[in-house]
Amino acid sequence: MSQFWERYVKPAFSQAKSNLLQLGSQPRGALLWKRVTFLVATPAIGLCMINAYSGARAPKPLPPFVKYEHLRRRNKRFPWGDGERSLFHNPHVNALPDGYEA
């Protein structure tokens, strides 16, 4: 048993101890990610919020409706509502086969 201890267990404990000592003396990884979070990620999130809210103020006018044959084809009615509107239909943006809802 002592030969097993000397050959395998003791070197493993000494290696683990030296690894823990190195981690305790050099916390550079945590410091790096802390700085990245506060100096890069937080301003980037703020800029994205400003961009999102500034674009949401002025709605754009809808383009004129053109009835193309290959768009808005209904081979089978939708199983809900009147059968013409999709599940996530937005009446302000999405057109029906006959035109926009007014």
Side-chain angles (χ1 to χ4, degrees), residues 59-87:
K60 297 178 182 175
L62 293 174
F65 180 77
V66 179
K67 189 172 183 174
Y68 292 110
E69 294 180 12
H70 64 281
L71 294 177
R72 292 174 285 277
R73 288 196 297 184
R74 306 284 193 261
N75 295 333
K76 191 169 111 177
R77 295 171 60 88
F78 290 115
W80 50 81
D82 64 351
E84 288 294 321
R85 291 169 180 81
S86 66
L87 186 60

Side-chain angles (χ1 to χ4, degrees), residues 3 5 14 38 46 52 68 74:
Q3 188 180 15
W5 178 266
S14 66
F38 289 115
Y68 292 110
R74 306 284 193 261

Side-chain angles (χ1 to χ4, degrees), residues 22-101:
Q22 287 177 358
L23 286 175
S25 65
Q26 301 173 354
R28 293 184 183 165
L31 184 61
L32 170 74
W33 287 108
K34 183 177 181 180
R35 288 180 180 165
V36 166
T37 299
F38 289 115
L39 299 176
V40 176
T42 305
I45 291 171
L47 289 173
C48 289
M49 283 178 44
I50 290 169
N51 185 25
Y53 284 115
S54 66
R57 284 190 222 143
K60 297 178 182 175
L62 293 174
F65 180 77
V66 179
K67 189 172 183 174
Y68 292 110
E69 294 180 12
H70 64 281
L71 294 177
R72 292 174 285 277
R73 288 196 297 184
R74 306 284 193 261
N75 295 333
K76 191 169 111 177
R77 295 171 60 88
F78 290 115
W80 50 81
D82 64 351
E84 288 294 321
R85 291 169 180 81
S86 66
L87 186 60
F88 300 106
H89 181 75
N90 184 352
H92 302 291
V93 179
N94 303 121
L96 293 173
D98 299 326
Y100 294 109
E101 297 178 52

